[in-house]
Amino acid sequence: MTKFLLTASVVALSASSAVAGGIDRSGQGIGILFEKDRLVELSFGYVSPDLPGTDLTGASTGDVARGYSQIALSYKQDINDKLSFAVILDQPFGADVLYDPSPLLGNTRVDASSYALTGLLRYKFNENFSVHGGLRAQQAEASIDLRGAAYQGLNGYSVDLASDLGVGYVVGVAYERPDIALRVALTYNSEIQHEFDTVETGPLGTVSSVTDVSTPQSINLDFQTGVAKDTLVFGQIRYVDWSSLTLSPAAFAVPTRGASLIDIEDTTTFTLGVGRKFSENWSGSLSFQYENRDDVLVSPLGPSNGRKGVTLAAIYTQDNIKITTGINYTVLGDVDAEVGTPD
């Protein structure tokens, strides 16, 4: 029997996207690998950010974070009693930032996107212990414009990073107690190296080169357990090594002495929630998210840091079809965007 799971999310936010620096978007979840039987899962959502600000002249920078859609498609199947596999297509990282015309940062822009195809195998030693792992192929591209007096001699600089395909890996281990719906899964996602064909234009001239960029490694700790009849507590701790993400194209690196266009602090995101089955067809969940906030000085290309959010979801199940709808509201901490100069 094949089950079909459809997830639709309308996400309304008070600041940027409900993710680290507006860049970590999918969370690289692998939950489908632990579902029963054969399953197809389609999910889509829309994020509507609201991230206004002002520069040091008092001019408005506008709503700098742009709305975006998220789509994912997954398939899981058992091979035998011990071995199963899953294929997951998602959009793990992305950025869409544009400043309104203003003296210091006007028309600064970043547009980055990625798609990842992950193939996973899971082997069950017994009903309690299992291991999982596989490969992830990731396509990414980006373009950045630095505009405004704050960039001084780099005002007018642009860089385009052509689409590139990189490969990484996923490994993990899980412990389960089916009698109490307990599951704890630890998953490591490796960094993925990209070699972007790069064209830089503007005050530094026109330079073509190859830029090496690695998307960050991360660790997900997922857990759930039954606490009462038809009631489940669940959560996640996700750590992302953002400090290893550097972008320093050849021409840009000369006057900046190898500085990076991107500067994001490492993040640890906590999620805790409860799910409840109300009837044979209806269930729901409520969860809370918290992300640590470190440095309040951030890059204008990733103008957010730290967050608190709440997600409410309703699930309808009929035969072999499950439909989940949800809404998330997130508040991000205030930050100061600066371009790396002492002032």
Side-chain angles (χ1 to χ4, degrees):
M1 179 179 68
T2 301
K3 296 181 179 179
F4 183 79
L5 190 152
L6 177 65
T7 302
S9 300
V10 179
V11 185
L13 306 180
S14 69
S16 182
S17 53
V19 286
I23 293 178
D24 188 6
R25 290 186 170 177
S26 76
Q28 299 175 310
I30 63 165
I32 191 173
L33 192 59
F34 298 94
E35 296 288 344
K36 296 181 179 179
D37 303 319
R38 185 165 52 184
L39 179 67
V40 176
E41 179 178 312
L42 171 65
S43 65
F44 57 91
Y46 182 75
V47 179
S48 178
D50 179 19
L51 189 56
T54 56
D55 66 22
L56 291 180
T57 70
S60 172
T61 59
D63 184 4
V64 303
R66 304 301 174 178
Y68 63 89
S69 299
Q70 281 288 101
I71 299 175
L73 177 64
S74 306
Y75 176 78
K76 181 263 177 181
Q77 181 176 327
D78 293 329
I79 299 174
N80 53 44
D81 291 341
K82 292 185 175 295
L83 194 62
S84 59
F85 76 91
V87 179
I88 302 171
L89 176 66
D90 67 349
Q91 299 170 277
F93 307 111
D96 194 350
V97 173
L98 176 63
Y99 287 75
D100 282 357
S102 65
L104 296 184
L105 293 171
N107 297 319
T108 291
R109 181 187 67 91
V110 56
D111 184 6
S113 62
S114 67
Y115 291 88
L117 182 64
T118 306
L120 297 171
L121 284 173
R122 180 186 181 215
Y123 181 78
K124 297 175 63 176
F125 295 102
N126 50 48
E127 70 172 9
N128 299 122
F129 292 97
S130 65
V131 293
H132 54 273
L135 296 177
R136 173 176 289 128
Q138 179 176 277
Q139 176 271 335
E141 60 186 338
S143 61
I144 296 172
D145 298 327
L146 304 184
R147 301 291 187 269
Y151 292 104
Q152 301 178 35
L154 290 172
N155 182 13
Y157 170 86
S158 296
V159 58
D160 289 307
L161 307 172
S163 178
D164 180 74
L165 181 67
V167 178
Y169 63 89
V170 180
V171 293
V173 61
Y175 173 77
E176 296 177 275
R177 285 255 327 256
D179 57 321
I180 58 172
L182 171 68
R183 181 174 72 238
V184 180
L186 181 66
T187 304
Y188 171 77
N189 303 285
S190 76
E191 68 176 23
I192 296 180
Q193 179 74 30
H194 289 279
E195 297 180 353
F196 293 106
D197 289 333
T198 304
V199 177
E200 299 170 88
T201 58
L204 304 179
T206 299
V207 177
S208 298
S209 62
V210 175
T211 303
D212 293 333
V213 180
S214 293
T215 55
Q217 61 183 348
S218 63
I219 299 174
N220 289 2
L221 177 63
D222 297 278
F223 60 90
Q224 67 169 52
T225 185
V227 293
K229 180 177 173 58
D230 297 327
T231 304
L232 190 74
V233 170
F234 61 91
Q236 182 190 74
I237 302 174
R238 174 170 167 81
Y239 168 78
V240 185
D241 182 24
W242 288 109
S243 59
S244 65
L245 176 63
T246 59
L247 173 57
S248 186
F252 179 84
V254 175
T256 63
R257 299 181 181 179
S260 174
L261 276 163
I262 301 174
D263 183 16
I264 305 176
E265 298 286 336
D266 295 346
T267 57
T268 303
T269 307
F270 301 88
T271 301
L272 182 63
V274 59
R276 174 75 177 176
K277 184 177 181 180
F278 302 111
S279 67
E280 191 66 26
N281 301 112
W282 286 99
S283 58
S285 68
L286 177 67
S287 61
F288 299 90
Q289 301 84 37
Y290 172 80
E291 186 174 286
N292 61 308
R293 182 186 182 195
D294 294 324
D295 193 352
V296 296
L297 287 178
V298 300
S299 164
L301 306 183
S304 60
N305 192 8
R307 65 184 176 99
K308 300 175 183 178
V310 59
T311 302
L312 181 64
I315 302 101
Y316 177 78
T317 304
Q318 180 66 49
D319 298 327
N320 62 338
I321 295 178
K322 180 188 291 186
I323 299 175
T324 301
T325 60
I327 185 167
N328 168 275
Y329 183 82
T330 294
V331 177
L332 280 76
D334 292 339
V335 293
D336 294 318
E338 59 97 23
V339 300
T341 57
D343 58 347

